[in-house]
Amino acid sequence: MRKIEIFDTTLRDGEQAPGASMTIEQKYEFGLQLSRLGVDVIEAGFPVSSPQQFEACKLIADNVKGSVIAGLARAVEKDIDAVHGALKGAETSRLHTFIATSPIHMEYKLKMTPDQVVENAVKAVTYARNKFAQVEFSPEDGTRSELEFLYRIIEAVIDAGATVINVPDTVGYTMPDEIGHIFSSIMNNVPNIDKAILSTHNHNDLGMGVANTLSAIKNGAGQAEVSMNGIGERAGNAALEELVMALEVRKDLHEIETNIDTKQLFYTSKMLSTIIASPIPRNKPITGANAFSHESGIHQHGMLSHRETYEIMTPESVGREDSEIILGRHSGLHGFSKRVKELGLTLNEEQIGNAFKVFLSLADRKKEVFDEDILQIAGSVLGKKSLFFELDYFNVTSGNAAIPTATVRIKFKDEATEEAATGDGPISAIFQAIDKATGLTGRLEEFHVNAITAGKQAIGEVSVVVNIKGNVYNGKGSSTDILKASARAYISALNRYKLALENAGA
Ligand code: KIV
Ligand code: ZN
């Protein structure tokens, strides 16, 4: 058995995905979970890019133990210094620097000659090696780079002290056989490659992320860069849970081990989905709602006779024995604090105790308490209540002979604003009224409704993607009333916008 290191980039490449931005506290909570999951390296962010990125990296480096903490830097001293400043408190830190090496990137983006690129890369790695014991170098757009040039720059940066060489498929263009050839060629043609770990990082533009990662591993990669739920730039990165289970289920074929505790996969996936308010697609491998459900009679019969007829892994092996916890007045402190953590909120013991009291009194009045309520409760305990819009009241009239009209009352900083609007339908009327009451203008880009409990009394969960001033924000809301769930979802997206503003120091 060969051991592969899992490098998780959910908090860096993943967070670059539209709508996936997280607060500093959410990143910290997710960082703690990644370490429980057993990832070898957590790429915490890109510290030079904003004070919030710096703070999040620092918080993770100071407090998350058991995994190496990495930070990204362009091949310039200022970026490397920022990573150094942010990761000082880490048990073990890693500097990850990159510069593009493909002809198209060098000519049009960097406007540098290949010689200049090598010179910059060597300079950056030399500078970084004086500050970090672990230095990772990525030739960006590596899989579209000329092989001879890759050999040259990789040899030079290893001589300068690079300890990990990550060859990314930046634009998700490469096919599994091709990447296998690239990795085996590097292994056979770079004379000092044995002094570094070779790593693979694959984007999913053509759906090849995991397949390419497996092929690179087969041909010499000792580290795989992946993200939870596959989030990342454009179509995302190879999904951690898919890669790990492919290695686990087909151990007979790959003969590869990882440090991942596979029983934490489902929880980690759900936690991320909750934090970024982005539902897991039902047919998503490993963690989607349908991944272990058997519909057809023939399949059900097979399953009942012998599970392995239609199941190649057990739901328990990925931690799916947990049934959905619905919070209500019978819930205990344990379930409540678990949900608070899943939402990426950091509350100390006293704050959790106070929040739990408010939760119990609310649960006494309501049948079920939803994520938006918990966000409000935690916000008030943390003194951030004033940041959030709250739906106080709404009323809608609609019908085949009426103009859909909505009235809403929104609370903000203990003041209530009431507005009315008409729309093409009841939901658009509600959204327009909310826009008026909050003074924000959102453009609805996506709208989905799912039933999260069964039967006629089903609770509907609405997820929205709203564009505000050119950036997109996810929102989720639930209720037995779809209109109410829609209003909540829309307001939760507006609140994410407000949080992003606060994080950006605006
Ligand atoms: O996709 C990419 O090339 C990257 C690098 C920074 C490794 O994310
Ligand atoms: Zn990437």
Side-chain angles (χ1 to χ4, degrees), residues 122-237:
V122 168
K123 226 170 107 190
V125 170
T126 310
Y127 184 75
R129 211 30 229 277
N130 284 323
K131 295 174 185 271
F132 293 88
Q134 295 190 14
V135 174
E136 172 167 334
F137 172 75
S138 290
E140 191 193 5
D141 206 14
T143 52
R144 291 196 301 168
S145 305
E146 284 164 7
L147 272 178
E148 291 297 330
F149 185 56
L150 276 184
Y151 306 153
R152 176 181 162 203
I153 197 163
I154 291 173
E155 184 179 352
V157 294
I158 293 177
D159 277 343
T163 54
V164 180
I165 301 294
N166 175 53
V167 182
D169 187 24
T170 303
V171 290
Y173 175 75
T174 310
M175 292 291 130
D177 286 348
E178 248 179 322
I179 203 165
H181 174 68
I182 294 171
F183 274 69
S184 61
S185 305
I186 291 171
M187 292 300 283
N188 292 328
N189 290 284
V190 176
N192 53 2
I193 196 69
D194 59 318
K195 300 205 168 56
I197 297 171
L198 196 52
S199 164
T200 183
H201 172 121
N202 299 297
H203 281 270
N204 212 20
D205 299 65
L206 294 172
M208 298 293 148
V210 172
N212 281 342
T213 306
L214 288 169
S215 178
I217 289 172
K218 191 171 168 193
N219 287 283
Q223 173 181 281
E225 300 200 357
V226 284
S227 66
M228 214 52 220
N229 296 356
I231 65 168
E233 281 281 356
R234 305 180 311 279
N237 291 73

